[in-house]
Amino acid sequence: MAVVTPNNLPPLNKETFWAIINQEISDEVVNALLAYYLGYRFDGDRQRWELGEVESSWAQEYPEPPNFIENRPPTVKLTRSIPPENKQLLKEQLGFTGYKIGEFTPRHTRRATAVNWLLSYMAIHKLPLH
């Protein structure tokens, strides 16, 4: 996974979220966004991931940021970590009604989950959606 900082990540906004859903943003960037907002930080001097800001269950299970798009288990963990009141934010805030049957793959679903988790993160931290 690429080393990420707030300076090289796209902003958390509607344009970015639609670009994720529409597969206009690379899997690597989607993974980097999730890793960053989960608290993963890469220490370039020591060449290792710092987990001080990562919730303990994530740090224990994933000492390095997982690939959410390629692997189902970390995406399931993301889904389970979204509070019930935030489960419909993708629909409520973006008007996303889902993919059409026959036109979506697990990759599409994982990208939608990523966006919903990021929306939940924003709601929890009271960040405005633009």
Side-chain angles (χ1 to χ4, degrees):
M1 178 176 290
V3 176
V4 296
T5 66
N7 297 332
N8 64 3
L9 287 175
L12 296 182
N13 61 28
K14 289 180 181 182
E15 182 177 296
T16 297
F17 295 148
W18 279 112
I20 292 170
I21 289 167
N22 293 325
Q23 301 189 58
E24 297 163 357
I25 289 181
S26 72
D27 292 352
E28 182 178 68
V29 171
V30 176
N31 283 319
L33 275 166
L34 292 167
Y36 184 80
Y37 288 103
L38 280 165
Y40 289 92
R41 301 294 184 271
F42 191 77
D43 182 332
D45 294 334
R46 295 174 25 191
Q47 290 297 300
R48 68 176 202 172
W49 288 96
E50 293 296 325
L51 306 176
E53 296 181 46
V54 179
E55 197 270 327
S56 63
S57 73
W58 279 97
Q60 210 169 14
E61 196 167 344
Y62 299 104
E64 292 188 4
N67 185 324
F68 295 93
I69 305 302
E70 287 186 12
N71 302 302
R72 183 176 180 270
T75 306
V76 170
K77 188 172 179 73
L78 270 185
T79 300
R80 291 180 179 157
S81 71
I82 299 171
E85 63 273 15
N86 293 348
K87 295 278 187 193
Q88 297 296 316
L89 291 178
L90 194 55
K91 182 179 180 180
E92 294 168 0
Q93 293 188 0
L94 295 183
F96 181 68
T97 57
Y99 297 104
K100 294 179 181 169
I101 293 178
E103 294 182 2
F104 70 96
T105 64
R107 187 169 175 270
H108 289 95
T109 303
R110 292 175 189 147
R111 284 173 159 268
T113 298
V115 171
N116 203 55
W117 186 87
L118 290 165
L119 286 167
S120 179
Y121 175 92
M122 292 178 71
I124 290 165
H125 293 89
K126 300 189 181 354
L127 303 173
L129 178 62
H130 301 287

